[in-house]
Amino acid sequence: PRGSVVVAGQRHGEPAKEGGDVFKRDKGYQAEIGVRCMWANRIDFSGSVYYIRKNNVVKNLGTQEEKDETTGEMVQKTIQAQVGTADSRGFDLELTVHPVSTLAVTGGLGWQDYRIRKINQSKDYPEYTDPSNVRATGIPRTTFYVYADYTIPKGLLKNLSFHLSGTFQDKIFTDVANRVYNPALFLVDGGLFYTIKQKVTLALNVDNLFDKEYFKSTTVYGKPRNFTGTISYRF
C-alpha cells in the first residue's frame, strides 16, 4: 500500500515467503526486585531495580523515497526492521517524610539505560544498519522529582493547602553519535487548594512557576507560565 513501511528483507503488508508473519513475534523476559520500609507514619521509603530483555525488537531506522507502482509518484516511506535484541536496566527510589501530620515532602529518583545489543543485518537494505550498544534516543536517562504539600490545621485559614513541586529531566538525545540533544530541564509548579465543609474545593494551579523557556521537542517550545482554576463539589 502507498506509504507502507519497509522492513529488513520484506515490505510491511506483504506475506513472508513461508506464509508466516512479516515480523517475528517479539519475546523476552523481565526481572524486578523491590523493597519498602515504613517508620512510625513519619517515613516511607521504597525502591526497586529491574532488568528487561527483548528479542526481535522492531525499530524505525529512517526514511527513503520510492516510486509508487500504481501512480508513478515518488512517496516517502518509513524504514522499519527487527533490529535484534535490546535490553533496559534501571532503578527507582522514592522517599516520603512527614515532619508533622499536615506536611508531606516526597522525593523520587529514576535511572534507566536502554540499548540495542544485537543487530540483525538486512540483506536488502544494508544502509539502514543501526550501531549496536548505543544509548536509545528520545528518552532521558535520569529523572528526579520533589514535591511538598502543607495544609493549615486550624484558625481562620483552616483547610487551606499549599503545593509546590519540582521535576528534573536529564538531556534527551536525538543523535547520540553526533552529541545532539535537548538540554536537561528543571521545572517548578505550584498550587493552592481550599476545602469548604469537606464538600467544595477551590483550586488554583500554576504550571512553570518561574516562566522558564524550554523546548518540548526539537522545534516545539514548551508552555510558558500558565494558570488553571477549578471548582469541584463532592456529593
Side-chain angles (χ1 to χ4, degrees), residues 158-199:
K158 181 181 179 181
N159 295 328
L160 177 63
S161 299
F162 302 86
H163 173 83
L164 191 66
S165 65
T167 56
F168 169 81
Q169 177 180 276
D170 199 1
K171 56 181 174 287
I172 298 179
F173 279 92
T174 56
D175 187 332
V176 178
N178 294 313
R179 303 292 296 176
V180 179
Y181 57 85
N182 294 324
L185 176 65
F186 184 77
L187 292 177
V188 177
D189 303 324
L192 294 173
F193 305 87
Y194 185 60
T195 302
I196 304 172
K197 296 183 179 180
Q198 299 182 345
K199 292 290 186 179

mmCIF file of all heavy atoms in Angstrom, residues 158-199:
data_model
loop_
_atom_site.group_PDB
_atom_site.id
_atom_site.type_symbol
_atom_site.label_atom_id
_atom_site.label_comp_id
_atom_site.label_asym_id
_atom_site.label_seq_id
_atom_site.Cartn_x
_atom_site.Cartn_y
_atom_site.Cartn_z
ATOM 1 N N LYS A 158 -8.015 27.528 58.088
ATOM 2 C CA LYS A 158 -8.027 26.079 58.225
ATOM 3 C C LYS A 158 -8.460 25.417 56.915
ATOM 4 O O LYS A 158 -9.379 25.891 56.236
ATOM 5 C CB LYS A 158 -8.984 25.671 59.352
ATOM 6 C CG LYS A 158 -9.048 24.172 59.592
ATOM 7 C CD LYS A 158 -10.026 23.846 60.710
ATOM 8 C CE LYS A 158 -10.103 22.338 60.927
ATOM 9 N NZ LYS A 158 -11.069 21.989 62.006
ATOM 10 N N ASN A 159 -7.767 24.330 56.565
ATOM 11 C CA ASN A 159 -8.019 23.539 55.350
ATOM 12 C C ASN A 159 -7.512 24.199 54.071
ATOM 13 O O ASN A 159 -7.793 23.713 52.974
ATOM 14 C CB ASN A 159 -9.511 23.209 55.191
ATOM 15 C CG ASN A 159 -10.019 22.298 56.288
ATOM 16 O OD1 ASN A 159 -9.267 21.460 56.802
ATOM 17 N ND2 ASN A 159 -11.274 22.483 56.684
ATOM 18 N N LEU A 160 -6.768 25.292 54.192
ATOM 19 C CA LEU A 160 -6.096 25.864 53.032
ATOM 20 C C LEU A 160 -4.790 25.101 52.820
ATOM 21 O O LEU A 160 -3.973 24.987 53.735
ATOM 22 C CB LEU A 160 -5.804 27.352 53.240
ATOM 23 C CG LEU A 160 -5.022 28.055 52.109
ATOM 24 C CD1 LEU A 160 -5.826 28.041 50.810
ATOM 25 C CD2 LEU A 160 -4.666 29.485 52.518
ATOM 26 N N SER A 161 -4.598 24.573 51.620
ATOM 27 C CA SER A 161 -3.430 23.735 51.330
ATOM 28 C C SER A 161 -2.537 24.405 50.292
ATOM 29 O O SER A 161 -3.015 25.086 49.381
ATOM 30 C CB SER A 161 -3.867 22.359 50.810
ATOM 31 O OG SER A 161 -4.651 21.681 51.770
ATOM 32 N N PHE A 162 -1.243 24.163 50.450
ATOM 33 C CA PHE A 162 -0.237 24.672 49.520
ATOM 34 C C PHE A 162 0.503 23.479 48.911
ATOM 35 O O PHE A 162 0.825 22.515 49.614
ATOM 36 C CB PHE A 162 0.777 25.570 50.242
ATOM 37 C CG PHE A 162 0.168 26.749 50.942
ATOM 38 C CD1 PHE A 162 -0.319 26.626 52.233
ATOM 39 C CD2 PHE A 162 0.069 27.968 50.297
ATOM 40 C CE1 PHE A 162 -0.877 27.714 52.881
ATOM 41 C CE2 PHE A 162 -0.492 29.066 50.936
ATOM 42 C CZ PHE A 162 -0.963 28.937 52.238
ATOM 43 N N HIS A 163 0.777 23.586 47.631
ATOM 44 C CA HIS A 163 1.519 22.525 46.944
ATOM 45 C C HIS A 163 2.641 23.157 46.129
ATOM 46 O O HIS A 163 2.435 24.158 45.437
ATOM 47 C CB HIS A 163 0.602 21.733 46.010
ATOM 48 C CG HIS A 163 1.331 20.741 45.146
ATOM 49 N ND1 HIS A 163 1.684 19.486 45.587
ATOM 50 C CD2 HIS A 163 1.780 20.831 43.866
ATOM 51 C CE1 HIS A 163 2.322 18.852 44.626
ATOM 52 N NE2 HIS A 163 2.402 19.644 43.569
ATOM 53 N N LEU A 164 3.820 22.570 46.227
ATOM 54 C CA LEU A 164 4.971 23.024 45.457
ATOM 55 C C LEU A 164 5.720 21.802 44.955
ATOM 56 O O LEU A 164 5.981 20.864 45.724
ATOM 57 C CB LEU A 164 5.897 23.892 46.315
ATOM 58 C CG LEU A 164 7.006 24.652 45.577
ATOM 59 C CD1 LEU A 164 6.403 25.713 44.664
ATOM 60 C CD2 LEU A 164 7.958 25.302 46.576
ATOM 61 N N SER A 165 6.060 21.787 43.669
ATOM 62 C CA SER A 165 6.744 20.612 43.116
ATOM 63 C C SER A 165 7.801 21.038 42.119
ATOM 64 O O SER A 165 7.693 22.076 41.464
ATOM 65 C CB SER A 165 5.743 19.665 42.438
ATOM 66 O OG SER A 165 5.158 20.288 41.307
ATOM 67 N N GLY A 166 8.825 20.224 42.014
ATOM 68 C CA GLY A 166 9.878 20.432 41.027
ATOM 69 C C GLY A 166 10.204 19.118 40.346
ATOM 70 O O GLY A 166 10.258 18.065 40.994
ATOM 71 N N THR A 167 10.397 19.148 39.038
ATOM 72 C CA THR A 167 10.724 17.937 38.279
ATOM 73 C C THR A 167 11.961 18.196 37.431
ATOM 74 O O THR A 167 12.070 19.246 36.786
ATOM 75 C CB THR A 167 9.554 17.510 37.376
ATOM 76 O OG1 THR A 167 9.182 18.604 36.513
ATOM 77 C CG2 THR A 167 8.338 17.107 38.207
ATOM 78 N N PHE A 168 12.853 17.229 37.447
ATOM 79 C CA PHE A 168 14.079 17.312 36.657
ATOM 80 C C PHE A 168 14.075 16.218 35.607
ATOM 81 O O PHE A 168 13.710 15.071 35.883
ATOM 82 C CB PHE A 168 15.316 17.150 37.551
ATOM 83 C CG PHE A 168 16.592 16.974 36.769
ATOM 84 C CD1 PHE A 168 17.251 18.068 36.237
ATOM 85 C CD2 PHE A 168 17.126 15.704 36.565
ATOM 86 C CE1 PHE A 168 18.429 17.910 35.503
ATOM 87 C CE2 PHE A 168 18.299 15.537 35.840
ATOM 88 C CZ PHE A 168 18.949 16.643 35.314
ATOM 89 N N GLN A 169 14.487 16.591 34.407
ATOM 90 C CA GLN A 169 14.596 15.640 33.310
ATOM 91 C C GLN A 169 15.964 15.784 32.670
ATOM 92 O O GLN A 169 16.365 16.879 32.279
ATOM 93 C CB GLN A 169 13.501 15.918 32.281
ATOM 94 C CG GLN A 169 13.529 15.051 31.046
ATOM 95 C CD GLN A 169 12.415 15.409 30.089
ATOM 96 O OE1 GLN A 169 11.281 14.952 30.227
ATOM 97 N NE2 GLN A 169 12.707 16.244 29.114
ATOM 98 N N ASP A 170 16.690 14.693 32.604
ATOM 99 C CA ASP A 170 18.020 14.693 32.005
ATOM 100 C C ASP A 170 17.933 15.039 30.521
ATOM 101 O O ASP A 170 16.851 14.999 29.921
ATOM 102 C CB ASP A 170 18.641 13.311 32.188
ATOM 103 C CG ASP A 170 20.156 13.316 32.040
ATOM 104 O OD1 ASP A 170 20.729 14.397 31.804
ATOM 105 O OD2 ASP A 170 20.765 12.234 32.147
ATOM 106 N N LYS A 171 19.061 15.397 29.932
ATOM 107 C CA LYS A 171 19.078 15.708 28.495
ATOM 108 C C LYS A 171 18.574 14.514 27.693
ATOM 109 O O LYS A 171 18.776 13.353 28.067
ATOM 110 C CB LYS A 171 20.479 16.104 28.043
ATOM 111 C CG LYS A 171 21.573 15.098 28.322
ATOM 112 C CD LYS A 171 22.915 15.633 27.842
ATOM 113 C CE LYS A 171 24.072 14.730 28.235
ATOM 114 N NZ LYS A 171 24.372 14.812 29.683
ATOM 115 N N ILE A 172 17.906 14.818 26.581
ATOM 116 C CA ILE A 172 17.333 13.790 25.731
ATOM 117 C C ILE A 172 18.046 13.830 24.384
ATOM 118 O O ILE A 172 17.961 14.818 23.646
ATOM 119 C CB ILE A 172 15.823 14.001 25.533
ATOM 120 C CG1 ILE A 172 15.101 13.917 26.875
ATOM 121 C CG2 ILE A 172 15.258 12.975 24.568
ATOM 122 C CD1 ILE A 172 13.610 14.146 26.785
ATOM 123 N N PHE A 173 18.737 12.764 24.058
ATOM 124 C CA PHE A 173 19.490 12.714 22.807
ATOM 125 C C PHE A 173 18.557 12.478 21.623
ATOM 126 O O PHE A 173 17.631 11.670 21.686
ATOM 127 C CB PHE A 173 20.531 11.602 22.851
ATOM 128 C CG PHE A 173 21.797 11.982 23.575
ATOM 129 C CD1 PHE A 173 21.935 11.714 24.926
ATOM 130 C CD2 PHE A 173 22.828 12.625 22.911
ATOM 131 C CE1 PHE A 173 23.091 12.069 25.600
ATOM 132 C CE2 PHE A 173 23.983 12.987 23.574
ATOM 133 C CZ PHE A 173 24.121 12.708 24.924
ATOM 134 N N THR A 174 18.823 13.198 20.534
ATOM 135 C CA THR A 174 18.188 12.905 19.252
ATOM 136 C C THR A 174 19.189 12.258 18.300
ATOM 137 O O THR A 174 18.787 11.620 17.333
ATOM 138 C CB THR A 174 17.627 14.186 18.611
ATOM 139 O OG1 THR A 174 18.681 15.157 18.480
ATOM 140 C CG2 THR A 174 16.527 14.781 19.480
ATOM 141 N N ASP A 175 20.484 12.427 18.571
ATOM 142 C CA ASP A 175 21.552 11.796 17.793
ATOM 143 C C ASP A 175 22.734 11.584 18.738
ATOM 144 O O ASP A 175 23.459 12.525 19.065
ATOM 145 C CB ASP A 175 21.953 12.676 16.615
ATOM 146 C CG ASP A 175 22.941 11.991 15.662
ATOM 147 O OD1 ASP A 175 23.712 11.121 16.123
ATOM 148 O OD2 ASP A 175 22.943 12.332 14.464
ATOM 149 N N VAL A 176 22.901 10.338 19.200
ATOM 150 C CA VAL A 176 23.933 10.055 20.189
ATOM 151 C C VAL A 176 25.327 10.212 19.592
ATOM 152 O O VAL A 176 26.232 10.781 20.213
ATOM 153 C CB VAL A 176 23.749 8.632 20.762
ATOM 154 C CG1 VAL A 176 24.860 8.305 21.757
ATOM 155 C CG2 VAL A 176 22.391 8.508 21.440
ATOM 156 N N ALA A 177 25.527 9.707 18.370
ATOM 157 C CA ALA A 177 26.853 9.727 17.756
ATOM 158 C C ALA A 177 27.380 11.147 17.590
ATOM 159 O O ALA A 177 28.569 11.412 17.791
ATOM 160 C CB ALA A 177 26.819 9.006 16.412
ATOM 161 N N ASN A 178 26.499 12.075 17.220
ATOM 162 C CA ASN A 178 26.908 13.459 16.999
ATOM 163 C C ASN A 178 26.634 14.365 18.193
ATOM 164 O O ASN A 178 26.749 15.593 18.072
ATOM 165 C CB ASN A 178 26.206 14.012 15.758
ATOM 166 C CG ASN A 178 26.643 13.308 14.486
ATOM 167 O OD1 ASN A 178 27.829 13.120 14.257
ATOM 168 N ND2 ASN A 178 25.680 12.901 13.664
ATOM 169 N N ARG A 179 26.230 13.778 19.321
ATOM 170 C CA ARG A 179 26.002 14.515 20.560
ATOM 171 C C ARG A 179 24.972 15.633 20.368
ATOM 172 O O ARG A 179 25.143 16.762 20.846
ATOM 173 C CB ARG A 179 27.306 15.112 21.085
ATOM 174 C CG ARG A 179 28.420 14.118 21.333
ATOM 175 C CD ARG A 179 28.106 13.197 22.498
ATOM 176 N NE ARG A 179 28.009 13.958 23.751
ATOM 177 C CZ ARG A 179 27.667 13.398 24.922
ATOM 178 N NH1 ARG A 179 27.384 12.105 24.973
ATOM 179 N NH2 ARG A 179 27.608 14.133 26.010
ATOM 180 N N VAL A 180 23.878 15.312 19.685
ATOM 181 C CA VAL A 180 22.786 16.262 19.516
ATOM 182 C C VAL A 180 21.684 15.904 20.509
ATOM 183 O O VAL A 180 21.203 14.768 20.525
ATOM 184 C CB VAL A 180 22.228 16.216 18.075
ATOM 185 C CG1 VAL A 180 21.076 17.202 17.927
ATOM 186 C CG2 VAL A 180 23.328 16.525 17.073
ATOM 187 N N TYR A 181 21.276 16.864 21.321
ATOM 188 C CA TYR A 181 20.280 16.557 22.348
ATOM 189 C C TYR A 181 19.541 17.819 22.775
ATOM 190 O O TYR A 181 20.003 18.948 22.578
ATOM 191 C CB TYR A 181 20.938 15.924 23.574
ATOM 192 C CG TYR A 181 22.037 16.761 24.204
ATOM 193 C CD1 TYR A 181 21.739 17.759 25.128
ATOM 194 C CD2 TYR A 181 23.369 16.543 23.878
ATOM 195 C CE1 TYR A 181 22.741 18.524 25.703
ATOM 196 C CE2 TYR A 181 24.379 17.310 24.455
ATOM 197 C CZ TYR A 181 24.054 18.291 25.364
ATOM 198 O OH TYR A 181 25.050 19.052 25.926
ATOM 199 N N ASN A 182 18.355 17.608 23.384
ATOM 200 C CA ASN A 182 17.638 18.676 24.057
ATOM 201 C C ASN A 182 18.204 18.790 25.472
ATOM 202 O O ASN A 182 18.375 17.775 26.157
ATOM 203 C CB ASN A 182 16.138 18.377 24.120
ATOM 204 C CG ASN A 182 15.499 18.367 22.748
ATOM 205 O OD1 ASN A 182 15.860 19.143 21.882
ATOM 206 N ND2 ASN A 182 14.543 17.465 22.546
ATOM 207 N N PRO A 183 18.496 20.009 25.943
ATOM 208 C CA PRO A 183 19.157 20.159 27.242
ATOM 209 C C PRO A 183 18.330 19.627 28.401
ATOM 210 O O PRO A 183 17.107 19.456 28.298
ATOM 211 C CB PRO A 183 19.343 21.690 27.360
ATOM 212 C CG PRO A 183 19.213 22.211 25.970
ATOM 213 C CD PRO A 183 18.268 21.286 25.262
ATOM 214 N N ALA A 184 19.014 19.380 29.518
ATOM 215 C CA ALA A 184 18.329 18.978 30.743
ATOM 216 C C ALA A 184 17.383 20.093 31.192
ATOM 217 O O ALA A 184 17.582 21.270 30.865
ATOM 218 C CB ALA A 184 19.346 18.663 31.834
ATOM 219 N N LEU A 185 16.364 19.714 31.938
ATOM 220 C CA LEU A 185 15.304 20.661 32.266
ATOM 221 C C LEU A 185 14.826 20.462 33.695
ATOM 222 O O LEU A 185 14.634 19.332 34.149
ATOM 223 C CB LEU A 185 14.136 20.453 31.294
ATOM 224 C CG LEU A 185 12.877 21.285 31.511
ATOM 225 C CD1 LEU A 185 13.166 22.765 31.292
ATOM 226 C CD2 LEU A 185 11.773 20.803 30.575
ATOM 227 N N PHE A 186 14.629 21.582 34.410
ATOM 228 C CA PHE A 186 14.033 21.544 35.747
ATOM 229 C C PHE A 186 12.894 22.548 35.782
ATOM 230 O O PHE A 186 13.091 23.738 35.526
ATOM 231 C CB PHE A 186 15.064 21.880 36.823
ATOM 232 C CG PHE A 186 14.524 21.773 38.224
ATOM 233 C CD1 PHE A 186 14.362 20.520 38.817
ATOM 234 C CD2 PHE A 186 14.155 22.901 38.940
ATOM 235 C CE1 PHE A 186 13.857 20.410 40.102
ATOM 236 C CE2 PHE A 186 13.648 22.794 40.230
ATOM 237 C CZ PHE A 186 13.503 21.549 40.808
ATOM 238 N N LEU A 187 11.689 22.079 36.076
ATOM 239 C CA LEU A 187 10.503 22.923 36.117
ATOM 240 C C LEU A 187 9.889 22.896 37.512
ATOM 241 O O LEU A 187 9.912 21.861 38.197
ATOM 242 C CB LEU A 187 9.459 22.456 35.101
ATOM 243 C CG LEU A 187 9.797 22.618 33.621
ATOM 244 C CD1 LEU A 187 8.673 22.041 32.765
ATOM 245 C CD2 LEU A 187 10.043 24.073 33.259
ATOM 246 N N VAL A 188 9.304 24.033 37.903
ATOM 247 C CA VAL A 188 8.652 24.157 39.206
ATOM 248 C C VAL A 188 7.194 24.526 38.990
ATOM 249 O O VAL A 188 6.876 25.439 38.214
ATOM 250 C CB VAL A 188 9.352 25.221 40.074
ATOM 251 C CG1 VAL A 188 8.621 25.388 41.405
ATOM 252 C CG2 VAL A 188 10.812 24.840 40.320
ATOM 253 N N ASP A 189 6.304 23.817 39.667
ATOM 254 C CA ASP A 189 4.868 24.096 39.640
ATOM 255 C C ASP A 189 4.384 24.369 41.057
ATOM 256 O O ASP A 189 5.014 23.966 42.047
ATOM 257 C CB ASP A 189 4.088 22.916 39.052
ATOM 258 C CG ASP A 189 4.554 22.545 37.654
ATOM 259 O OD1 ASP A 189 4.899 23.449 36.882
ATOM 260 O OD2 ASP A 189 4.582 21.333 37.352
ATOM 261 N N GLY A 190 3.257 25.042 41.172
ATOM 262 C CA GLY A 190 2.687 25.331 42.485
ATOM 263 C C GLY A 190 1.176 25.298 42.443
ATOM 264 O O GLY A 190 0.560 25.263 41.376
ATOM 265 N N GLY A 191 0.577 25.324 43.640
ATOM 266 C CA GLY A 191 -0.878 25.300 43.693
ATOM 267 C C GLY A 191 -1.420 25.668 45.059
ATOM 268 O O GLY A 191 -0.732 25.533 46.080
ATOM 269 N N LEU A 192 -2.658 26.156 45.069
ATOM 270 C CA LEU A 192 -3.405 26.455 46.288
ATOM 271 C C LEU A 192 -4.727 25.701 46.238
ATOM 272 O O LEU A 192 -5.380 25.641 45.182
ATOM 273 C CB LEU A 192 -3.692 27.958 46.413
ATOM 274 C CG LEU A 192 -2.512 28.902 46.618
ATOM 275 C CD1 LEU A 192 -2.997 30.346 46.542
ATOM 276 C CD2 LEU A 192 -1.835 28.628 47.946
ATOM 277 N N PHE A 193 -5.127 25.123 47.379
ATOM 278 C CA PHE A 193 -6.370 24.367 47.449
ATOM 279 C C PHE A 193 -7.098 24.740 48.739
ATOM 280 O O PHE A 193 -6.486 24.804 49.811
ATOM 281 C CB PHE A 193 -6.097 22.854 47.437
ATOM 282 C CG PHE A 193 -5.272 22.396 46.267
ATOM 283 C CD1 PHE A 193 -3.889 22.408 46.334
ATOM 284 C CD2 PHE A 193 -5.877 21.960 45.099
ATOM 285 C CE1 PHE A 193 -3.113 21.994 45.270
ATOM 286 C CE2 PHE A 193 -5.114 21.554 44.027
ATOM 287 C CZ PHE A 193 -3.736 21.574 44.107
ATOM 288 N N TYR A 194 -8.388 24.971 48.636
ATOM 289 C CA TYR A 194 -9.173 25.323 49.817
ATOM 290 C C TYR A 194 -10.463 24.520 49.810
ATOM 291 O O TYR A 194 -11.240 24.559 48.844
ATOM 292 C CB TYR A 194 -9.487 26.820 49.843
ATOM 293 C CG TYR A 194 -10.182 27.264 51.103
ATOM 294 C CD1 TYR A 194 -9.581 27.098 52.347
ATOM 295 C CD2 TYR A 194 -11.458 27.832 51.048
ATOM 296 C CE1 TYR A 194 -10.225 27.494 53.510
ATOM 297 C CE2 TYR A 194 -12.110 28.242 52.203
ATOM 298 C CZ TYR A 194 -11.483 28.067 53.434
ATOM 299 O OH TYR A 194 -12.126 28.456 54.587
ATOM 300 N N THR A 195 -10.678 23.780 50.890
ATOM 301 C CA THR A 195 -11.855 22.923 51.002
ATOM 302 C C THR A 195 -12.841 23.526 52.000
ATOM 303 O O THR A 195 -12.472 23.884 53.122
ATOM 304 C CB THR A 195 -11.470 21.515 51.452
ATOM 305 O OG1 THR A 195 -10.534 20.960 50.528
ATOM 306 C CG2 THR A 195 -12.688 20.604 51.516
ATOM 307 N N ILE A 196 -14.094 23.615 51.573
ATOM 308 C CA ILE A 196 -15.147 24.190 52.403
ATOM 309 C C ILE A 196 -16.086 23.078 52.841
ATOM 310 O O ILE A 196 -16.739 22.435 52.011
ATOM 311 C CB ILE A 196 -15.927 25.270 51.629
ATOM 312 C CG1 ILE A 196 -14.964 26.350 51.106
ATOM 313 C CG2 ILE A 196 -17.005 25.885 52.506
ATOM 314 C CD1 ILE A 196 -15.623 27.342 50.190
ATOM 315 N N LYS A 197 -16.124 22.824 54.151
ATOM 316 C CA LYS A 197 -17.029 21.833 54.747
ATOM 317 C C LYS A 197 -16.923 20.469 54.075
ATOM 318 O O LYS A 197 -17.926 19.756 53.943
ATOM 319 C CB LYS A 197 -18.477 22.335 54.693
ATOM 320 C CG LYS A 197 -18.714 23.584 55.533
ATOM 321 C CD LYS A 197 -20.179 23.997 55.501
ATOM 322 C CE LYS A 197 -20.405 25.228 56.363
ATOM 323 N NZ LYS A 197 -21.829 25.665 56.372
ATOM 324 N N GLN A 198 -15.714 20.115 53.634
ATOM 325 C CA GLN A 198 -15.445 18.814 53.020
ATOM 326 C C GLN A 198 -16.308 18.531 51.793
ATOM 327 O O GLN A 198 -16.444 17.392 51.363
ATOM 328 C CB GLN A 198 -15.621 17.680 54.043
ATOM 329 C CG GLN A 198 -14.684 17.781 55.236
ATOM 330 C CD GLN A 198 -14.852 16.628 56.195
ATOM 331 O OE1 GLN A 198 -15.832 15.886 56.160
ATOM 332 N NE2 GLN A 198 -13.879 16.477 57.076
ATOM 333 N N LYS A 199 -16.878 19.567 51.215
ATOM 334 C CA LYS A 199 -17.750 19.393 50.055
ATOM 335 C C LYS A 199 -17.232 20.132 48.824
ATOM 336 O O LYS A 199 -17.169 19.569 47.725
ATOM 337 C CB LYS A 199 -19.172 19.883 50.384
ATOM 338 C CG LYS A 199 -19.918 19.039 51.390
ATOM 339 C CD LYS A 199 -20.303 17.683 50.809
ATOM 340 C CE LYS A 199 -21.168 16.886 51.755
ATOM 341 N NZ LYS A 199 -21.568 15.579 51.191
#
